[in-house]
Amino acid sequence: MIAYSIPFLCWLFFGATVAGIFGALLGIGGGMFIVPIMVLGFHLPMKYAVAASIVSVIATSNAGGSSYVEKRIANIKLAMYLEIFTTFGAIAGAALALHLAEWLMLLVFALLTLYMGYGSFTTRNLDEQRIAAGSFNTPPTGTLAKKLDIHGAYYDQSLKQEVPYHVTGLGLGGIISVLAGLCSGLLGVGGGILKVSAMNRYMNVPMKVSVGTSKLMIGITAAVSSLVFFLAGTLHFSLVGPVALGTTLGANIGTSIMNRLRSRDLKLVFTVVVLYMSYSMIAKAIQLHWGIHLPSFGA
């Protein structure tokens, strides 16, 4: 049993709170931020960080997801459809995480965040353009999309207007959700990192609905993965406590302000944060495997 000091756990709680705020704003559970914080800032082993993060994702999903449902931002029907695919990937990812080398996990995490930062920046004006053109409300043409007929509307506080939408691209969304589940189990990020981008970019779902729907789903995905880590003995409950409490507090704060911000601003903040974290994780991987030191946070 590893003992952690009180100041260490307090700082970990603070870091988790910040991660929870960003996670709620972007619908990605906080794991994308708490894992680098734990590995780079607190020098914890990657597998311990992933295991603690995946449990905290359950807490943040409960805190943020219910609020987004009440505000009619999350789409429950879409969440249930995508979660069928994500769960299978989550089991495979968690099993794989127990066998991969730490430097390789760091590298995979970094490349994933690098891609997501690029995608977020290149689509930063997408929502405003689609809302202005009314293209979110275009009826679907695909057979599966027509049959399931997933649609909805939400009130955008920043734009002060109702935004109706019809979901398309359900086949591609299912494939990406399997990959999202794989990333969730492997990296402790809840899967939202891929699902938010997939829903917004390929399924004609507004950014804020993507965030709310992802927040609703990630707890289910994380619960499946956490069982694998628990059985493998990599869950340290002294780490899980402050991380879960901090991310839950942060999730409540982030959820309360998300709909007041412009989608473009959310994506720009996301891009800046994840690009630096991606670089830091690459630097850590290079240091562990090749012994080459690059300047970065916590290295």
Side-chain angles (χ1 to χ4, degrees), residues 4-298:
Y4 300 97
S5 67
I6 298 299
F8 175 89
L9 295 178
C10 289
W11 278 110
L12 187 59
F13 170 80
F14 175 76
T17 302
V18 175
I21 293 173
F22 278 107
L25 289 176
L26 302 165
I28 56 177
M32 183 175 174
F33 303 105
I34 193 59
V35 170
I37 287 173
M38 294 175 76
V39 172
L40 301 174
F42 295 95
H43 306 289
L44 291 168
M46 183 72 175
K47 288 181 173 62
Y48 292 173
V50 168
S53 171
I54 206 70
V55 175
S56 75
V57 168
I58 303 172
T60 59
S61 178
N62 291 335
S66 59
S67 177
Y68 287 138
V69 170
E70 291 173 5
K71 295 175 182 177
R72 295 178 55 216
I73 297 176
N75 189 306
I76 298 176
K77 189 174 181 180
L78 176 60
M80 293 303 99
Y81 168 79
L82 294 178
E83 195 56 42
I84 295 171
F85 300 94
T86 310
T87 301
F88 290 108
I91 297 171
L96 184 60
L98 299 175
H99 301 286
L100 282 184
E102 182 168 347
W103 73 270
L104 189 56
M105 291 177 69
L106 287 164
L107 193 59
V108 171
F109 194 108
L111 293 176
L112 176 64
T113 55
L114 188 64
Y115 170 76
M116 295 311 301
Y118 168 78
S120 183
F121 181 76
T122 55
T123 62
R124 62 192 182 280
N125 296 315
L126 183 62
D127 272 49
E128 281 78 1
Q129 293 170 354
R130 286 181 175 175
I131 290 173
S135 57
F136 277 127
N137 201 27
T138 303
T141 57
T143 303
L144 182 59
K146 282 182 176 180
K147 187 174 182 179
L148 294 180
D149 189 26
I150 302 176
H151 63 276
Y154 78 101
Y155 182 77
D156 194 305
Q157 291 183 357
S158 66
L159 300 176
K160 301 190 185 310
Q161 69 179 91
E162 188 86 1
V163 181
Y165 61 92
H166 283 83
V167 180
T168 62
L170 293 176
L172 180 59
I175 294 172
I176 296 176
S177 291
V178 174
L179 296 176
L182 188 68
C183 292
S184 172
L186 179 62
L187 305 172
V189 296
I193 184 174
L194 282 178
K195 282 184 283 192
V196 169
S197 178
M199 284 186 280
N200 182 236
R201 192 166 190 174
Y202 304 116
M203 301 180 70
N204 198 47
V205 181
M207 175 67 177
K208 292 179 180 179
V209 177
S210 301
V211 168
T213 304
S214 170
K215 200 69 177 173
L216 183 63
M217 286 189 285
I218 56 178
I220 303 172
T221 308
V224 173
S225 304
S226 64
L227 288 174
V228 178
F229 288 112
F230 174 74
L231 293 173
T234 56
L235 268 180
H236 285 208
F237 290 100
S238 53
L239 294 176
V240 170
V243 169
L245 290 173
T247 49
T248 300
L249 174 62
N252 280 296
I253 296 171
T255 300
S256 66
I257 62 176
M258 187 275 285
N259 199 27
R260 299 172 185 161
L261 303 176
R262 295 175 66 89
S263 296
R264 181 179 186 274
D265 296 333
L266 289 174
K267 289 186 176 184
L268 284 175
V269 171
F270 178 78
T271 300
V272 172
V273 173
V274 301
L275 286 181
Y276 184 72
M277 284 191 170
S278 177
Y279 165 76
S280 297
M281 297 293 264
I282 290 173
K284 182 79 171 179
I286 291 173
Q287 183 180 6
L288 284 175
H289 191 60
W290 289 285
I292 301 173
H293 178 79
L294 298 175
S296 68
F297 169 64

